[in-house]
Amino acid sequence: MRFLLDDEQREFARTLDGMLASAGTPGVVRSWASGDHGPGRALWGRLAEAGVFALAVPEKHEGIGMFPVELAVAFGELGRHAVPGPLAETAAAGALLGRLGGDAAHLWLPQLASGKAVASLCVLSAGGSPYALDADAADAVFVVDGDSVRLADSHGPVQPSADPARRQARPLGGVVLAQGPAVRAAAAYAADVAALVTAAQALGLGRALLERTVEYVRQRTQFGVAVGSFQAVKHRLADTLIALEFAQPLVYAAALALAADDPAAGREVAAAKVSACEAAYGAARTALQFHGAVGYTEEPDLSLWIRKARPLRTAWGTPAVCRARVLAGGAVR
C-alpha cells in the first residue's frame, strides 16, 4: 500500500500553505479567542473556495464527495497554520448528514460545502463531551444522542479551554431531525471522520512547532555557541521528528481505510489519532522547554500553537480510549 501523496495532492497542500501563510492566522486566532468571529469567517470562506469543506459533502449536495485522504492533507495544513474554528466538527457534520440524507442534508450540506454555514457537532452516544466546540460561532449545532440527532436551538455559557480559541458550550433544546438505527451508524462514521481530521490537524501542528523550535535553537546561544549544537538538544529534536514521521503514514493509512469503507477503519483511525496527537503534544513540550521563558508567555505567536496541542490530544478520542480500541480490534465508535 502506498502512503505517498500524488502530484495533485501535494499541489493542493502547497496551495493551502501559500494561502494560509499570507492570511495572518495569528491575528485571526486572537480575534476568534476574543469572540470576534469576523476574520475567522472570512478565512473560512476562502478555505471553502479552495474546496476544503466540499471534500466531506456528497456530489449530489453540491460537494466533491467524501475524500478522506484529501481531507487529511487539507487538515494537516490547517493545523500547521493554527486555523481556528470547528473545522473537524464541520467535516464530521457533513459526513453525518451525507450518510443520513433527508431534508436536513438537502438544507445544510450545500451551505457547509460552500462555506456559507459553519457547523458544530457533539456525539453523546460515542461517550463524547456534552459540549460543542464553538457553538457560539456555529450556524448549526448537531447533537447525536443514541438513535436520534437534533439541531440545537441555543447553547449554555461558553466555557474556557487550555486553548483560548477553542470555545465550548453545552447545546440546548432543539428539533429532532432523524431517529433510528441509521443515526447511530452515521454518527459512528462521522466520529471516525472527526478523529481522522483531528489527527491530521495535530500532525500539521506538531510539524510547525518543530520547525519553529529548530529555527529558534539555531539562533539562541549559550556559552558562546548555538544551543542547537548541544547533543541533548539534537537528540530531543530528533525524537520529536521521528514521532511525527511515524505518525504520518498511520494518518494516511486511516484515511485510505475510511475511503475504502474498510471494516477495520475504526482501528486504523484510533491508531492514527493517538500517534499523531501524542507526537504533537511531544512537539509542544519540546518547543516550550527549548524556548525557555519565551514559551511561557502569551505575547509571542508561538503560544497559539503550543496551547492547541493538549486539547487536540483529547478531542474525539483520548489517548487511553484510542489505545483501548486499537487493542480491542474494534472501531472508533
Side-chain angles (χ1 to χ4, degrees):
M1 184 179 292
R2 287 178 58 84
F3 299 133
L4 296 177
L5 301 178
D6 61 30
D7 291 340
E8 289 187 1
Q9 291 164 338
R10 287 194 291 269
E11 181 58 30
F12 182 41
R14 283 192 292 269
T15 299
L16 289 176
D17 180 42
M19 182 185 76
L20 292 170
S22 62
T25 54
V28 175
V29 175
R30 294 185 192 281
S31 294
W32 194 276
S34 70
D36 177 8
H37 304 126
R41 292 295 293 254
L43 180 56
W44 196 280
R46 294 181 63 189
L47 292 171
E49 289 176 1
V52 171
F53 304 112
L55 290 168
V57 174
E59 289 185 81
K60 65 180 180 180
H61 293 293
E62 303 180 25
I64 299 174
M66 177 55 71
F67 286 89
V69 176
E70 284 72 14
L71 270 175
V73 170
F75 273 74
E77 295 304 319
L78 300 182
R80 180 188 292 273
H81 292 278
V83 177
L87 300 161
E89 289 70 20
T90 294
L96 173 72
L97 297 177
R99 287 288 173 111
L100 289 177
D103 292 341
H106 180 73
L107 173 63
W108 287 105
L109 286 178
Q111 297 187 66
L112 297 183
S114 66
K116 293 178 181 178
V118 173
S120 191
L121 172 71
C122 63
V123 183
L124 302 178
S125 56
S129 169
Y131 295 94
L133 179 64
D134 294 313
D136 60 324
D139 300 291
V141 179
F142 300 97
V143 182
V144 178
D145 190 358
D147 289 339
S148 69
V149 56
R150 60 185 168 88
L151 178 63
D153 56 17
S154 63
H155 63 80
V158 174
Q159 303 298 316
S161 168
D163 174 7
R166 289 182 65 87
R167 300 160 56 86
Q168 301 184 83
R170 189 186 295 269
L172 305 173
V175 178
V176 174
L177 302 176
Q179 288 182 309
V183 170
R184 192 178 293 271
Y189 178 72
D192 283 347
V193 171
L196 170 69
V197 297
T198 299
Q201 267 187 285
L203 189 61
L205 176 79
R207 290 195 179 280
L209 284 166
L210 178 59
E211 290 167 4
R212 287 168 177 258
T213 305
V214 169
E215 181 180 358
Y216 183 76
V217 298
R218 284 173 174 169
Q219 298 172 358
R220 182 183 175 189
T221 60
Q222 191 172 14
F223 308 117
V225 297
V227 171
S229 66
F230 299 158
Q231 284 294 329
V233 172
K234 289 181 178 180
H235 290 168
R236 179 71 176 270
L237 292 172
D239 289 343
T240 302
L241 175 60
I242 289 170
L244 292 167
E245 289 292 321
F246 270 82
Q248 180 168 304
L250 293 179
V251 171
Y252 290 142
L256 289 169
L258 273 182
D261 277 330
D262 190 327
R267 185 177 59 209
E268 300 277 2
V269 170
K273 175 68 172 56
V274 69
S275 298
C277 290
E278 292 290 62
Y281 185 57
R285 290 172 63 89
T286 298
L288 185 65
Q289 179 178 357
F290 287 174
H291 279 81
V294 174
Y296 286 90
T297 59
E298 292 189 2
E299 288 77 10
D301 293 341
L302 177 73
S303 67
L304 305 178
W305 274 256
I306 287 179
R307 296 180 71 170
K308 287 186 180 298
R310 189 175 186 91
L312 288 179
R313 184 173 179 247
T314 56
W316 295 102
T318 65
V321 167
C322 289
R323 288 190 178 100
R325 287 167 174 163
V326 172
L327 293 173
V332 178
R333 300 298 190 227

